[in-house]
Amino acid sequence: MTITCFIRYEIEPTGKADFEHYARNWGQAIPRCGAELIGYFAPHEGSATTAYAAYNIDSLAAYEAYRARLMADPLGRENFLFAQEKKFIRREDRIFLKNVSLPHAPLVRP
């Protein structure tokens, strides 16, 4: 059963560019370490401080192994340190959910 990790970030209003750099780095490291990245989403309209990320992983056990690989990955370590140094993330909350609406019907474009 695949689960999806959703991360809600509260970022500094002036930290959007740093968050985007951070997100691009995860776009390389996360798939390499074993999770299916859905994406990182930075503020565009409305709140200047709320951002999100989402990725799929096979299980919570797979998540633990993935996290260990991420901490051992050179870009992963660099990105963790970048966030700590720049302090653009005020808060980070994770939740793991399973998709219960599958299978979906094919998309119809009117």
Side-chain angles (χ1 to χ4, degrees), residues 1-7 38 54-58 60 94-100:
M1 166 190 65
T2 298
I3 55 176
T4 303
C5 178
F6 292 90
I7 308 170
I38 296 167
Y55 59 88
N56 293 321
I57 194 94
D58 290 336
L60 288 176
R94 277 182 178 70
I95 187 169
F96 295 88
L97 302 173
K98 63 182 179 175
N99 189 336
V100 297

Side-chain angles (χ1 to χ4, degrees), residues 22-101:
Y22 174 80
R24 284 189 299 277
N25 283 343
W26 287 136
Q28 301 304 306
I30 288 173
R32 183 170 60 231
C33 290
E36 177 191 3
L37 182 62
I38 296 167
Y40 272 74
F41 303 87
H44 176 70
E45 182 72 25
S47 172
T49 60
T50 303
Y52 293 92
Y55 59 88
N56 293 321
I57 194 94
D58 290 336
S59 65
L60 288 176
Y63 171 76
E64 293 302 326
Y66 151 79
R67 291 287 290 178
R69 286 189 301 272
L70 201 58
M71 292 301 288
D73 182 84
L75 184 57
R77 281 194 315 273
E78 179 184 314
N79 219 28
F80 280 118
L81 292 173
F82 174 74
Q84 289 176 338
E85 177 187 310
K86 295 287 191 167
K87 299 186 185 324
F88 56 90
I89 298 173
R90 292 180 177 171
R91 183 177 172 160
E92 181 177 331
D93 296 307
R94 277 182 178 70
I95 187 169
F96 295 88
L97 302 173
K98 63 182 179 175
N99 189 336
V100 297
S101 65

